[in-house]
Amino acid sequence: MKLIPFFIVFLIVGALKVQGQTTQDSLDIRRVALAYIESQHNPNPKQMQDALHPRVVKRSVFKSKKAKKDYISEFSAENLVILAETYNVNGDKFSKNPKKEIKLLDVSPLTASVKLIADEWFDYMHIVKTNGEWKIINVLWQYNNVSEHQ
């Protein structure tokens, strides 16, 4: 019975330590993740560039039908900025009210893991805080329909 108060204090202290972020950090992380997807919805290369760390890499797994082998597709910051400029230029790549759900999976003082759920795919992002700003440094994505990866 004497262990119950100790256990409660342990849980409270543990919960406080795990959070490790401020409300502003959470807002900034969400803002960066939204900038990434919204810059594709409404072509805006500057918005994309502002959300990215210069050393960002976006990856996914695809299968070569001819070679019958899996390979890793990679995009750099430059590729992602061009994507934001060109992908939806005709306004036909997304629904009228595109899905853009952000889930903060883990947040620490300098790093965050985020899941972005869009209409046709989802992205796992690693976001880092450098020089006081949150920036996307890693993206691993997949279509909801795995057959699209061929």
Side-chain angles (χ1 to χ4, degrees):
M1 290 300 246
K2 291 182 181 181
L3 291 177
I4 291 174
F6 172 77
F7 184 68
I8 291 171
V9 169
F10 178 77
L11 284 176
I12 292 170
V13 170
L16 292 174
K17 195 170 186 174
V18 168
Q19 279 186 326
Q21 85 272 9
T22 66
T23 301
Q24 188 61 52
D25 284 332
S26 295
L27 291 171
D28 291 343
I29 291 163
R30 286 181 184 281
R31 179 188 50 75
V32 167
L34 283 172
Y36 165 85
I37 191 66
E38 289 175 350
S39 71
Q40 296 171 63
H41 292 159
N42 305 302
N44 188 334
K46 176 152 180 20
Q47 184 181 27
M48 176 69 87
Q49 187 168 6
D50 290 347
L52 303 177
H53 186 281
R55 295 182 61 189
V56 68
V57 179
K58 178 178 179 176
R59 295 182 176 98
S60 192
V61 178
F62 284 88
K63 184 173 214 79
S64 167
K65 289 181 181 178
K66 286 186 180 183
K68 297 183 181 172
K69 292 182 183 178
D70 292 337
Y71 67 95
I72 305 298
S73 166
E74 287 190 356
F75 280 67
S76 66
E78 180 182 24
N79 300 133
L80 291 170
V81 170
I82 291 170
L83 177 76
E85 183 176 359
T86 61
Y87 180 67
N88 195 34
V89 73
N90 294 327
D92 59 354
K93 300 293 185 185
F94 297 95
S95 65
K96 187 171 182 159
N97 295 307
K99 186 174 186 175
K100 49 185 178 182
E101 181 182 342
I102 306 293
K103 293 184 178 185
L104 300 183
L105 303 176
D106 187 54
V107 178
S108 298
L110 298 176
T111 60
S113 291
V114 174
K115 183 175 185 179
L116 164 67
I117 302 168
D119 292 316
E120 303 294 327
W121 67 83
F122 56 90
D123 298 271
Y124 289 105
M125 299 178 184
H126 290 134
I127 302 176
V128 296
K129 189 173 190 179
T130 59
N131 301 312
E133 294 184 306
W134 289 97
K135 301 285 185 173
I136 300 167
I137 194 155
N138 187 46
V139 179
L140 179 63
W141 73 279
Q142 177 185 310
Y143 283 112
N144 294 327
N145 180 353
V146 179
S147 67
E148 295 286 328
H149 286 271
Q150 300 202 27

